[in-house]
């Protein structure tokens, strides 16, 4: 059965921000990211060598320009949508947990929902941590 | 069938100098074969006369049961003066066409190489255009010794033209150079034994830079043949690019797959002296970048002193694997050679 974990109030995590939470069930931690107003959660374990992925840098990545097949061009794309592991800089899409390059390896991701205060009241008994405040909508992880 | 992808005919010296013309022949140029310094013995396994005789080379081929040979004269690597370099290449290519590819003794079994000096891209393209219509020329040859790595953008128009014309690019270390012998990454070597043993390194640098510069992603039809690198020495160096390319992709986003995978699609290796002794050569298959037998093409290196024969090449392999190395891979990799051989078969 899925456990619900309250990350905190939406207002504390504006777009571009992130945090790492450490629920009992996932000791290595789960990174929660606000990408353009949507929340995503990835396990804080890089599938490459087990590094603390979510302590890495949230950034964009490079893409080859295809405008002219003779000339090499490089452009910066998807700024804020990529997490790079601090150990070996493997890059993953925060939205999907997939690698940028073709690979079968991907990071475990978790569903995240944003719940209104009234829903929070109903859920209160089942959640692992007591919310800081019920005044505001809360970010809820399903683990 | 046996196809020899590396025969290095010696062009007659006086005639070549006459063709090169003034001002570059006011002092006779050095012969285009052999080593300038260092080598403590003759560089040829036969007399200069035999090395320069189409009849003698045809005889060598008959004795070794070689059916076809791709001829690539050595031209002393990199020439600093681009005009002189162009004059030498023009003369070498004309002489190869007239004295070798047209020789009756060749009985139609000689294929040619367009030698280009990559110092000046425009001159190189012009030289390719001179010969592109002559289907007997089946490849380009560029020296392993170069001004810059072959992944450099300045060379790209040459590679594009080669890909368009179905001409594989053969990278050859001529050993003998007009300038000083190539230095290693840490300076100049002292002895011929070093230069000879370490010659694969320069070509590995070229092919690694072509992979990381996305040359093969931009020109999927480009084919590169390394004349002086065995497949297992290439693997041992290129696999280093596989280890961390996921990290380094950030600066080379045009690279779309494991670097060694480009070996399988775009690169072939001429059989080498170390193939004869390496423990990796006993087996026809391997794991990184494809099977040995799919990547190696027989080259005798005749008439150089370290030349070899088909009989001595991968003797432990089964018949099917040997057939790939001795002919099948060349037929797959050289479109013009394959077209002519299949036209002959149906004639």
């Amino acid at each position: 059965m899925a456990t619900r974990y309250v990350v905190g109030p939406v207002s504390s995590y504006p777009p571009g921000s992130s945090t790492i939470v450490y629920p009992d069930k996932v000791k290595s931690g789960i990174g929660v990211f606000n990408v353009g107003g949507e929340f995503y959660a990835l396990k804080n374990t890089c599938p490459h060598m087990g590094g603390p992925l979510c302590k890495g840098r949230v950034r964009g990545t490079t893409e080859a320009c295809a405008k002219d097949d003779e000339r090499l061009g490089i452009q910066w794309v998807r700024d804020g949508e990529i997490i790079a592991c601090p150990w070996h800089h493997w890059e993953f899409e925060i939205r999907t947990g997939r690698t940028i390059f073709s690979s079968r390896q991907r990071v475990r991701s978790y569903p995240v929902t944003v719940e209104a205060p009234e829903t929070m009241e109903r859920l209160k008994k089942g959640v692992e941590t007591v919310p800081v405040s019920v005044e505001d909508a809360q970010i809820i992880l399903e683990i | 069938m046996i196809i020899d992808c590396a025969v290095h005919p010696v062009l007659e010296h006086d005639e070549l100098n006459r063709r090169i013309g003034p001002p570059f022949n006011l002092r006779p140029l050095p012969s285009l074969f052999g080593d300038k310094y260092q080598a403590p013995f003759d560089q040829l396994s036969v007399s200069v006369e035999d090395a320069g005789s189409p009849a003698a080379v045809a005889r060598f081929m008959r004795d070794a049961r070689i059916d076809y040979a791709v001829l690539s004269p050595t031209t002393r690597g990199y020439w600093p003066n681009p005009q002189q370099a162009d004059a030498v290449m023009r003369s070498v290519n004309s002489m190869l066409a007239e004295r070798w590819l047209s020789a009756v003794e060749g009985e139609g079994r000689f294929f040619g190489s367009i030698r280009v000096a990559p110092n000046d891209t425009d001159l190189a393209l012009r030289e390719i255009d001179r010969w592109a219509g002559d289907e007997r020329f089946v490849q380009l040859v560029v020296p392993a010794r170069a001004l810059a790595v072959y992944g450099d953008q300045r060379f790209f128009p040459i590679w594009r033209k080669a890909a368009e014309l179905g001409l594989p690019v053969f990278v050859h270390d001529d050993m003998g150079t007009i300038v000083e012998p190539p230095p290693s990454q840490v300076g100049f070597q002292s002895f011929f034994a070093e230069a000879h043993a370490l010659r694969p390194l320069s070509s590995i640098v070229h092919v690694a830079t072509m992979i990381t510069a996305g040359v093969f992603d931009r020109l999927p039809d480009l084919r590169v043949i390394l004349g002086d690198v065995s497949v297992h020495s290439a693997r041992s160096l290129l696999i280093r690019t596989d280890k961390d390319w996921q990290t380094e992709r950030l600066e080379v986003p045009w690279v779309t797959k494991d670097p060694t995978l480009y070996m399988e699609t775009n690169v072939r290796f001429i059989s080498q002296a170390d193939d004869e002794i390496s423990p990796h050569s006993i087996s026809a298959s391997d794991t990184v970048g494809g099977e040995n037998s799919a990547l190696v093409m027989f080259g005798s290196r005749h008439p150089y002193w370290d030349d070899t024969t088909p009989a001595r090449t991968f003797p432990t392999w089964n018949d099917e694997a040997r057939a790939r190395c001795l002919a099948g891979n060349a037929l797959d990799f050289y479109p013009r050679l394959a077209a002519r051989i299949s036209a002959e078969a149906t004639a």
Side-chain angles (χ1 to χ4, degrees):
Chain A
M1 187 187 146
T3 306
R4 290 198 180 82
Y5 185 96
V6 176
V7 177
V10 169
S11 56
S12 301
Y13 299 99
S17 67
S18 64
T19 186
I20 301 175
V21 296
Y22 296 90
D24 287 346
K25 233 173 145 180
V26 186
K27 295 245 184 322
S28 59
I30 294 174
V32 181
F33 303 84
N34 183 338
V35 180
E38 298 287 327
F39 287 94
Y40 303 92
L42 298 175
K43 190 172 182 185
N44 185 29
T45 304
C46 182
H48 174 221
M49 298 288 276
L53 173 66
C54 300
K55 290 184 176 173
R57 190 163 166 184
V58 175
R59 56 164 169 80
T61 190
T62 55
E63 189 177 79
C65 294
K67 277 176 275 179
D68 181 348
D69 65 359
E70 295 176 20
R71 287 272 152 198
L72 286 180
I74 192 166
Q75 57 196 10
W76 192 246
V77 294
R78 304 165 74 185
D79 206 22
E81 298 176 19
I82 308 296
I83 176 90
C85 180
W87 279 12
H88 304 97
H89 311 283
W90 275 41
E91 300 166 290
F92 298 88
E93 296 173 346
I94 295 169
R95 288 197 174 98
T96 63
R98 291 183 186 279
T99 50
I100 299 297
F101 47 89
S102 54
S103 165
R104 283 190 302 277
Q105 287 174 297
R106 64 190 290 185
V107 196
R108 168 125 193 228
S109 60
Y110 299 89
V112 189
T113 53
V114 172
E115 302 296 356
E118 49 272 29
T119 318
M120 283 307 298
E121 288 293 343
R122 287 204 307 276
L123 291 174
K124 217 169 169 183
K125 284 174 191 153
V127 299
E128 190 176 302
T129 59
V130 178
V132 182
S133 157
V134 291
E135 302 301 317
D136 194 4
Q138 297 287 315
I139 308 162
I140 309 292
L141 262 180
E142 277 199 37
I143 306 162
Chain B
M1 185 193 298
I2 297 178
I3 300 168
D4 185 342
C5 300
V7 169
H8 307 300
V10 166
L11 304 178
E12 203 278 317
H13 189 58
D14 292 337
E15 183 185 347
L16 183 70
N17 269 275
R18 274 199 306 280
R19 285 177 182 249
I20 287 170
F24 303 116
N25 68 352
L26 296 182
R27 282 186 68 217
L29 289 166
S31 67
L32 292 185
F33 66 92
D35 217 275
K36 186 178 174 188
Y37 307 111
Q38 299 181 317
F41 47 80
D42 285 343
Q43 289 291 284
L44 299 179
S45 63
V46 297
S47 68
V48 178
E49 290 71 29
D50 277 358
S53 155
V57 170
R59 193 164 60 241
F60 157 79
M61 288 168 60
R62 270 196 304 279
D63 291 348
R65 301 178 185 279
I66 294 163
D67 298 290
Y68 298 95
V70 182
L71 308 181
S72 51
T74 52
T75 58
R76 288 206 176 273
Y78 173 71
W79 294 66
N81 176 335
Q83 298 298 324
Q84 184 183 35
D86 187 51
V88 172
M89 300 314 142
R90 288 168 66 90
S91 305
V92 164
N93 294 332
S94 315
M95 223 169 140
L96 187 72
E98 292 169 32
R99 299 289 180 222
W100 287 83
L101 303 185
S102 305
V104 289
E105 300 93 329
E107 297 174 333
R109 295 175 182 280
F110 294 155
F111 290 94
S113 307
I114 307 171
R115 285 237 44 156
V116 295
N119 320 31
D120 183 320
T121 301
D122 293 329
L123 291 179
L125 293 175
R126 196 175 68 185
E127 188 59 15
I128 296 169
D129 282 335
R130 283 182 73 212
W131 300 105
D134 186 336
E135 294 287 331
R136 298 174 302 175
F137 284 93
V138 297
Q139 67 179 1
L140 294 191
V141 179
V142 292
R145 175 77 159 129
L147 259 186
V149 296
Y150 283 151
D152 192 289
Q153 184 63 25
R154 78 184 81 177
F155 302 114
F156 189 79
I158 303 175
W159 315 144
R160 183 182 54 218
K161 176 147 287 214
E164 283 169 3
L165 292 169
L167 294 167
V169 175
F170 187 108
V171 182
H172 188 252
D173 177 8
D174 287 345
M175 283 297 283
T177 54
I178 283 297
V179 294
E180 300 307 309
S184 72
Q185 286 195 326
V186 289
F188 286 89
Q189 298 139 3
S190 310
F191 302 107
F192 177 77
E194 297 163 352
H196 185 247
L198 300 175
R199 64 199 297 209
L201 297 177
S202 44
S203 300
I204 278 293
V205 172
H206 285 313
V207 84
T209 63
M210 290 172 96
I211 291 170
T212 50
V215 171
F216 298 121
D217 288 279
R218 287 178 287 161
L219 298 173
D221 294 333
L222 179 67
R223 291 149 181 224
V224 171
I225 299 163
L226 300 187
D228 312 283
V229 186
S230 68
V231 65
H232 44 266
S233 41
R235 276 203 189 95
S236 67
L237 291 162
L238 282 178
I239 195 153
R240 292 179 58 83
T241 60
D242 275 6
K243 172 62 178 72
D244 287 322
W245 81 276
Q246 296 91 341
T247 297
E248 292 148 359
R249 188 212 68 86
L250 193 63
E251 59 164 8
V252 287
W254 36 80
V255 177
T256 55
K257 57 185 181 185
D258 282 358
T260 53
L261 293 179
Y262 294 89
M263 283 171 58
E264 203 164 356
T265 49
N266 299 87
V267 186
R268 293 293 178 271
F269 303 85
I270 298 297
S271 54
Q272 295 299 306
D274 48 321
D275 285 328
E276 294 167 25
I277 57 166
S278 169
H280 301 291
S281 301
I282 294 166
S283 163
S285 59
D286 212 312
T287 51
V288 180
E291 294 211 337
N292 281 337
S293 68
L295 298 175
V296 181
M297 304 196 297
F298 169 68
S300 68
R301 304 185 296 279
H302 183 79
Y304 277 80
W305 65 272
D306 58 347
D307 60 5
T308 189
T309 60
R312 296 211 301 268
T313 303
F314 302 119
T316 57
W317 290 7
N318 65 37
D319 289 348
E320 194 193 330
R322 289 193 81 237
R324 278 201 290 274
C325 167
L326 295 176
N329 295 336
L331 290 171
D332 289 342
F333 217 56
Y334 286 101
R336 291 181 171 209
L337 186 148
R340 194 170 104 195
I341 291 176
S342 93
E344 280 178 16
T346 54

